[in-house]
Amino acid sequence: MMNRASSFLWNLRQFSTFVPTSRTMRLYPLGFSRPRIVFSYNSNLRNLLLSDFGNRVQSSIRYVFQDALIFKSRDDFQTKGVSIETVLTVSRVLCPRRLSFDSKHSLFSDEGLKINFHHEASNENVLTKETKPTPVNYRKLSQECSSLSDVLDTFSEASTFPSSNYISAMWTIAKRMSDDQKRIEKQLMFNHPAFSQLCEQVMREAKIMHCDHLLFSLHAIVKLGIPQNSLLVQTLLRVVQERINECDEKCLSVLSTVLEAMEPCKNVDVLRAGVRILADQQVWKIERVFTLQAVMKCVGKDAPIALKRKLEMKALRELDRFSDLNSQHMFEALAVMNHRSITLLNECSKMVIGNIHGCPFKVLINILQSCRDLRYRNLDLFKGIADYVATTIDIWKLKQVLFLLILLEDLGFRHTDLMDLFMKKVIDDPASLNMKSIISILHVYSSLNHFYKCQTQEFQEAMARSLTGYLHHISSENLLKAVSSFCLMNHFPLALIDQLLQKDIINELLTSGDIERNVHKLRILAACLKLDTSCPKAVDLALPPLPSIPLSPNGKVADALSSLLGEGFFLRNVQLPHNYHIDFEVRMDINRSRVLPFSHMDAVTSAADIQRVAVLCVPRSTYCLDLTHPRGFLAMKMRHLKVMGFHVILVHNWEIERLQMKDVVTFLKTELYSAEAFPTADRECELERDREEERESQAGCTPSMKPNGLSLTTVRT
């Protein structure tokens, strides 16, 4: 016992010669980092340590780094919210080498408490005579090593502080590898005997290495694919929580990037909340746009709306400093944050359009995906991207162009030139497409209702032949998707339809998967088999009945029809065969010059002399983005209504809402009556009005009772 005490006192006397007597205090107010008070050594510390040594065996030397020894008391100096650490500042000559934690440099031994240091042999007062290893530079190490195992071999030979350099070098090397090579190297890394030692050393050094080294280590570890629930990752996350106040702008950028790539967990959620607090406090001090965008991605969609608006205002202030990359990446940043800033998106769209040549394909895809997520529709932006891809289509793979077309279809945008060029390439080389690509192509072209002059039939036949080759491998749902797409395009390949109509496949579709969607597509097939003359088969499918959903037609259109025609001359919410529904039905003579009443119509007029008119009130979603071309389902519905003998009138809901009632009446009047009816309107107006008044006076009818119908000249305007 006397030997242990004398050894400790001798070491303590060595420290006292290099330690100033001043006292300093440092507080860390943020709740995510435990507040601590740091004291430098003074004359009373020796008595404190000697008195505490016998009673507090739990007190121990925890960390030695560069020129400091840290004593952490677990009991006496613990207060609510504050952890007190006593720091002995020592001359650098005592500890010239940064911390090493291998077995022969342990801070503890069986003989008692000992303190071992490593330093270069010199004429100075030193404790040991070991050579100080040269610190390793991760850039130089990544150039000298060609694999992850080489870095681990270097570490096992002579490890130096900080160990983060080895981790960073490994990630730098991994970035240069192909996916297959990276997968093999990662497996070798996990099996390397020095890997676990490196992980342990990173955990031990986490609290003493520089904050940027700590965060770069965490970033590299996450990118290398080390599991997030591992002790290493979770330990680093906890240490970052304690040291989050040390983050400068560079550290904040790295931390935001790392958290954005990690799955939610308790430690990640706490750090994300900490970043939100830091961002709210320091947003106006951020100088780099990339840091701002990294923070926007990190705070996420759950951030307070006030913080989102503050970040938006900061971005708007920095617009003049935006580079091409900044404008391209802003779409993704806003999408991750789920904040649609129209002003910011419009300005970034202009910059993207003006500098689109040479833009990487991945960036174009990210922009379109972000626009879809934000529900942002910009015709000029979409047209600029599609024009660029159409101009350079020869440098892209078919799968790349198809992926872009899928996104454009999701946005409702139809670029005729790009779709025509792609159709030609598909016709020339259909064998290059797999089953999934064929189904996606059919969906895009049928949904956007795109046809290309005389090559449409050739395109449809090429797709049908290619898909027939997969008939024995295709799933029931994929087969249904393909056939329903062909139905929308008014093309009916018999081999595919015969396969789909098998009883076991129909039963599978009605009992598994997305049953509601399957039933909807089967109804499309059933309607086409019955109504389309180009379809050679007519089969009755036993499908579940449609659910009864109360429908309310457009009230403004209903009032306009009442004002124009009067009650009794049109019907609301008409349900037709084959599960079709129309908002209003009007019956007119064959020339569409007179509106006929529904009462006693069979007795007055034969069916051959009646023209049925279907008035459809359609939303924006039934049209392509330019609002001039109907999409696939609406086009098929119009085709089938014409087969059932209807004249179809489309009323755009978004336009009707902007019009006054008199303008709506004028619009419906123009659409209902044929162009040939208008020249005779003025001449017949007076004659018809006189006849109506005479009949009403003889029969004692009110003006609303019109047994012989209403002509164009007697509309009530």
Side-chain angles (χ1 to χ4, degrees):
M1 186 64 184
M2 292 296 295
N3 292 335
R4 296 179 183 178
S6 61
S7 176
F8 177 77
L9 293 175
W10 182 86
N11 285 323
L12 191 59
R13 280 195 298 272
Q14 298 297 322
F15 296 150
S16 63
T17 60
F18 300 97
V19 177
T21 59
S22 61
R23 177 179 181 182
T24 61
M25 179 180 294
R26 183 170 51 183
L27 292 177
Y28 291 78
L30 189 63
F32 300 98
S33 175
R34 182 181 298 173
R36 64 181 182 178
I37 305 173
V38 180
F39 294 92
S40 61
Y41 182 78
N42 57 32
S43 59
N44 295 324
L45 180 58
R46 177 174 177 173
N47 295 332
L48 173 64
L49 292 173
L50 288 174
S51 61
D52 190 67
F53 180 79
N55 299 326
R56 302 295 176 185
V57 181
Q58 292 180 344
S59 299
S60 60
I61 299 176
R62 293 293 302 274
Y63 314 114
V64 181
F65 70 104
Q66 296 183 6
D67 57 349
L69 220 79
I70 302 177
F71 290 78
K72 185 172 181 180
S73 173
R74 300 184 182 178
D75 298 315
D76 288 352
F77 300 105
Q78 187 72 28
T79 59
K80 183 176 181 181
V82 178
S83 169
I84 302 177
E85 297 176 354
T86 305
V87 177
L88 302 180
T89 305
V90 188
S91 173
R92 190 177 299 272
V93 71
L94 289 176
C95 189
R97 179 187 176 186
R98 297 178 185 241
L99 183 63
S100 177
F101 282 100
D102 53 23
S103 58
K104 66 178 181 178
H105 305 313
S106 175
L107 296 178
F108 303 96
S109 69
D110 295 333
E111 298 178 359
L113 185 60
K114 293 185 179 180
I115 305 171
N116 299 323
F117 298 94
H118 309 276
H119 61 87
E120 297 178 355
S122 65
N123 295 328
E124 299 174 316
N125 182 20
V126 293
L127 301 178
T128 61
K129 295 183 178 181
E130 292 188 13
T131 302
K132 176 183 177 182
T134 303
V136 64
N137 183 282
Y138 84 91
R139 289 189 179 90
K140 183 179 179 181
L141 186 60
S142 63
Q143 294 171 358
E144 295 175 350
C145 299
S146 59
S147 66
L148 307 185
S149 298
D150 290 345
V151 178
L152 292 173
D153 291 339
T154 304
F155 167 78
S156 62
E157 292 172 0
S159 61
T160 60
F161 180 88
S163 56
S164 59
N165 288 331
Y166 298 97
I167 298 291
S168 298
M170 292 169 68
W171 169 234
T172 303
I173 294 171
K175 287 191 293 186
R176 301 196 296 255
M177 298 177 178
S178 64
D179 292 339
D180 293 337
Q181 186 181 3
K182 193 182 300 182
R183 184 169 54 253
I184 296 173
E185 284 292 332
K186 285 182 180 179
Q187 188 61 43
L188 294 174
M189 175 190 73
F190 288 128
N191 295 332
H192 197 284
F195 178 68
S196 59
Q197 299 175 11
L198 177 59
C199 293
E200 291 174 2
Q201 185 156 325
V202 170
M203 287 190 289
R204 286 194 293 264
E205 294 178 2
K207 288 193 176 184
I208 61 174
M209 67 174 65
H210 290 296
C211 187
D212 55 346
H213 289 174
L214 172 63
L215 290 171
F216 278 119
S217 297
L218 178 60
H219 177 266
I221 287 169
V222 171
K223 291 296 184 180
L224 284 172
I226 297 177
Q228 182 174 321
N229 60 352
S230 63
L231 179 61
L232 173 62
V233 176
Q234 294 299 318
T235 299
L236 295 184
L237 289 174
R238 291 294 299 273
V239 175
V240 173
Q241 292 175 30
E242 297 175 3
R243 302 181 60 184
I244 194 171
N245 274 335
E246 302 175 29
C247 289
D248 56 10
E249 182 175 333
K250 180 180 179 181
C251 294
L252 183 61
S253 177
V254 177
L255 177 59
S256 300
T257 303
V258 173
L259 294 179
E260 197 269 331
M262 299 184 73
E263 296 294 328
C265 69
K266 289 183 178 180
N267 285 325
V268 170
D269 294 341
V270 170
L271 272 177
R272 197 182 295 272
V275 171
R276 289 172 184 167
I277 294 175
L278 288 179
D280 188 63
Q281 296 173 351
Q282 304 178 13
V283 61
W284 307 117
K285 299 178 183 178
I286 295 176
E287 297 180 357
R288 298 176 66 250
V289 178
F290 278 116
T291 301
L292 177 63
Q293 292 174 336
V295 171
M296 294 171 71
K297 294 179 184 178
C298 178
V299 299
K301 61 182 180 180
D302 297 327
I305 188 64
L307 177 58
K308 293 181 180 180
R309 289 174 178 169
K310 188 179 291 188
L311 292 169
E312 175 192 358
M313 291 302 299
K314 174 64 177 178
L316 289 173
R317 288 188 181 184
E318 301 293 331
L319 269 176
D320 295 338
R321 298 175 52 216
F322 271 27
S323 65
D324 294 342
L325 287 176
N326 294 147
S327 60
Q328 294 164 3
H329 293 165
M330 184 53 69
F331 289 87
E332 183 180 3
L334 289 171
V336 173
M337 197 170 60
N338 193 26
H339 184 68
R340 186 171 66 165
S341 172
I342 299 299
T343 304
L344 191 55
L345 289 169
N346 288 343
E347 293 300 322
C348 291
S349 296
K350 294 176 184 177
M351 298 179 68
V352 169
I353 295 171
N355 302 277
I356 198 169
H357 291 282
C359 184
F361 190 82
K362 182 179 180 180
V363 173
L364 298 178
I365 294 298
N366 286 337
I367 291 174
L368 293 177
Q369 288 176 331
S370 301
C371 291
R372 177 197 60 193
D373 296 339
L374 291 170
R375 302 176 303 281
Y376 174 68
R377 305 293 186 263
N378 188 321
L379 275 173
D380 293 334
L381 175 63
F382 300 159
K383 185 177 184 302
I385 294 175
D387 285 341
Y388 170 64
V389 175
T391 304
T392 59
I393 193 170
D394 292 331
I395 69 174
W396 308 113
K397 298 178 181 179
L398 277 181
K399 289 184 178 180
Q400 290 178 312
V401 182
L402 175 58
F403 193 23
L404 184 113
L405 287 175
I406 291 173
L407 288 173
L408 291 175
E409 182 276 330
D410 205 6
L411 291 164
F413 181 73
R414 171 177 170 263
H415 192 275
T416 55
D417 293 342
L418 179 59
M419 297 187 75
D420 291 345
L421 289 172
F422 186 78
M423 185 182 288
K424 290 180 182 178
K425 285 187 169 291
V426 167
I427 293 174
D428 294 339
D429 189 19
S432 63
L433 301 172
N434 57 27
M435 179 182 65
K436 184 178 179 180
S437 297
I438 295 172
I439 295 173
S440 298
I441 292 171
L442 290 173
H443 170 73
V444 169
Y445 279 79
S446 62
S447 175
L448 295 177
N449 189 31
H450 182 78
F451 300 96
Y452 177 53
K453 302 176 183 177
C454 58
Q455 288 194 337
T456 296
Q457 186 69 20
E458 186 179 357
F459 165 74
Q460 293 171 345
E461 291 176 355
M463 292 292 96
R465 285 195 302 270
S466 299
L467 196 59
T468 303
Y470 296 100
L471 205 54
H472 299 292
H473 309 286
I474 191 171
S475 65
S476 300
E477 287 195 358
N478 284 334
L479 179 61
L480 178 60
K481 290 178 183 177
V483 171
S484 64
S485 297
F486 277 120
C487 290
L488 291 178
M489 293 189 291
N490 199 17
H491 185 74
F492 305 95
L494 288 180
L496 299 177
I497 294 177
D498 289 339
Q499 177 77 8
L500 178 62
L501 292 178
Q502 293 181 12
K503 187 175 180 180
D504 56 339
I505 293 181
I506 296 294
N507 291 336
E508 179 183 352
L509 292 170
L510 294 178
T511 56
S512 62
D514 191 338
I515 299 176
E516 184 177 354
R517 183 182 62 184
N518 294 342
V519 170
H520 172 70
K521 292 184 180 297
L522 286 173
R523 287 198 178 101
I524 292 176
L525 174 62
C528 290
L529 294 178
K530 289 288 186 178
L531 296 175
D532 284 313
T533 56
S534 57
C535 181
K537 295 179 72 68
V539 179
D540 292 324
L541 295 176
L543 300 176
L546 279 173
S548 57
I549 302 176
L551 300 173
S552 56
N554 191 301
K556 202 168 187 178
V557 176
D559 294 341
L561 286 173
S562 297
S563 176
L564 177 64
L565 306 178
E567 295 296 333
F569 287 86
F570 68 94
L571 296 178
R572 297 178 174 88
N573 289 331
V574 181
Q575 190 66 40
L576 302 175
H578 312 294
N579 300 307
Y580 281 122
H581 165 268
I582 58 178
D583 297 283
F584 303 97
E585 179 183 355
V586 179
R587 296 188 179 183
M588 307 180 73
D589 65 340
I590 197 65
N591 296 321
R592 287 176 39 229
S593 60
R594 297 178 61 212
V595 177
L596 305 176
F598 281 87
S599 59
H600 309 294
M601 182 169 291
D602 295 337
V604 177
T605 309
S606 63
D609 297 329
I610 298 176
Q611 173 63 64
R612 302 177 71 183
V613 179
V615 180
L616 303 180
C617 301
V618 295
R620 286 176 178 267
S621 59
T622 59
Y623 276 84
C624 294
L625 199 56
D626 58 1
L627 301 179
T628 60
H629 188 76
R631 300 190 69 166
F633 184 78
L634 177 59
M636 182 192 67
K637 184 176 181 179
M638 293 170 62
R639 183 175 78 233
H640 288 170
L641 288 176
K642 290 177 181 178
V643 172
M644 288 188 281
F646 282 92
H647 171 74
V648 181
I649 296 175
L650 296 179
V651 178
H652 301 160
N653 288 337
W654 66 94
E655 292 180 349
I656 290 297
E657 295 302 323
R658 298 197 303 262
L659 298 177
Q660 297 181 359
M661 181 58 68
K662 63 179 182 179
D663 298 323
V664 178
V665 172
T666 302
F667 166 77
L668 291 174
K669 175 181 176 181
T670 305
E671 293 293 323
L672 278 172
Y673 295 98
S674 63
E676 293 78 9
F678 281 94
T680 61
D682 293 336
R683 290 199 307 270
E684 294 182 359
C685 180
E686 295 297 331
L687 294 176
E688 184 67 23
R689 187 173 299 168
D690 292 341
R691 287 195 294 268
E692 287 291 329
E693 291 177 354
E694 183 178 355
R695 284 194 296 269
E696 290 172 4
S697 62
Q698 292 177 355
C701 296
T702 62
S704 61
M705 300 172 62
K706 303 182 185 306
N708 291 328
L710 179 68
S711 70
L712 171 65
T713 59
T714 59
V715 294
R716 297 185 290 178
T717 58

